[in-house]
């Protein structure tokens, strides 16, 4: 019976986030809010992958049971701008991933190597000629 509960818990934890923090975006004009799990927090921004990238300094931070709560209170225009920045960041990353080209292998016989092989060949000929005369 215990193993069944463990399996169920593992299935629930399929998506593990870097933090257990929550971002609450409150739109003053429309009087609506959006609550999402934070995927990353860095020194500049609170990030909900694909949805929001909110400046950290614009957030009110409180502590909850599971982690920090970031409150972002803003007008609709600012919220759409943060959503646009998050989408732009994801599309930039995807563009860089899909634009990857493997490095082109260099030609093994470049000019310097050909010159050195020719010089060694000439040296053997000169040694052969001088060796036969003696």
């Amino acid at each position: 019976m215990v193993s069944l509960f463990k399996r169920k818990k593992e299935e629930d934890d399929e998506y593990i986030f870097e933090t257990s923090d929550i971002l609450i975006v409150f739109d003053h004009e429309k009087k609506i809010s959006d609550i999402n799990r934070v995927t990353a927090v860095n020194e500049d921004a609170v990030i909900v992958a694909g949805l929001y990238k909110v400046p950290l300094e614009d957030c009110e931070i409180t502590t909850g049971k599971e982690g920090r709560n970031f409150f972002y209170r803003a007008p609709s225009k600012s919220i759409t701008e943060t959503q646009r920045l998050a989408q732009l960041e994801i599309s930039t990353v995807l563009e860089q991933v899909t634009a990857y080209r493997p490095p082109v292998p260099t030609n093994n016989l470049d000019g310097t190597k050909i010159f050195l092989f020719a010089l060694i060949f000439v040296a053997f000929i000169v040694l052969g000629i001088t060796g036969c005369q003696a």
Side-chain angles (χ1 to χ4, degrees):
M1 201 59 134
V2 175
S3 64
L4 291 176
F5 290 119
K6 286 184 182 178
R7 233 184 257 147
K8 184 79 168 173
K9 186 178 179 183
E10 289 171 2
E11 289 172 5
D12 291 341
D13 294 337
E14 186 175 337
Y15 300 106
I16 298 173
F17 293 103
E18 188 175 313
T19 68
S20 60
D21 302 335
I22 294 174
L23 174 66
I24 303 164
V25 178
F26 182 73
D27 186 341
H28 277 299
E29 295 169 3
K30 296 179 182 175
K31 300 293 183 203
I32 58 173
S33 61
D34 189 17
I35 301 171
N36 293 290
R37 180 83 52 191
V38 173
T39 53
V41 178
N42 60 28
E43 62 274 351
D44 298 331
V46 178
I47 302 166
V48 175
L51 295 176
Y52 299 105
K53 184 171 185 180
V54 178
L56 186 60
E57 60 194 29
D58 294 346
C59 293
E60 295 178 35
I61 305 169
T62 62
T63 305
K65 287 182 181 179
E66 294 182 12
R68 296 173 291 183
N69 297 324
F70 295 92
F71 290 94
Y72 180 62
R73 301 166 198 250
S76 298
K77 184 177 180 182
S78 176
I79 292 171
T80 27
E81 185 64 22
T82 59
Q83 290 172 335
R84 188 188 69 77
L85 283 173
Q87 289 296 326
L88 178 65
E89 186 175 278
I90 284 181
S91 56
T92 303
V93 168
L94 288 175
E95 182 180 312
Q96 290 173 352
V97 167
T98 57
Y100 174 76
R101 303 221 187 281
V104 178
T106 58
N107 189 358
N108 290 338
L109 291 176
D110 58 352
T112 307
K113 289 180 183 175
I114 292 172
F115 175 73
L116 289 174
F117 285 131
L119 187 62
I120 291 171
F121 181 71
V122 170
F124 278 128
I125 292 175
V126 170
L127 282 174
I129 294 174
T130 56
C132 289
Q133 291 179 359

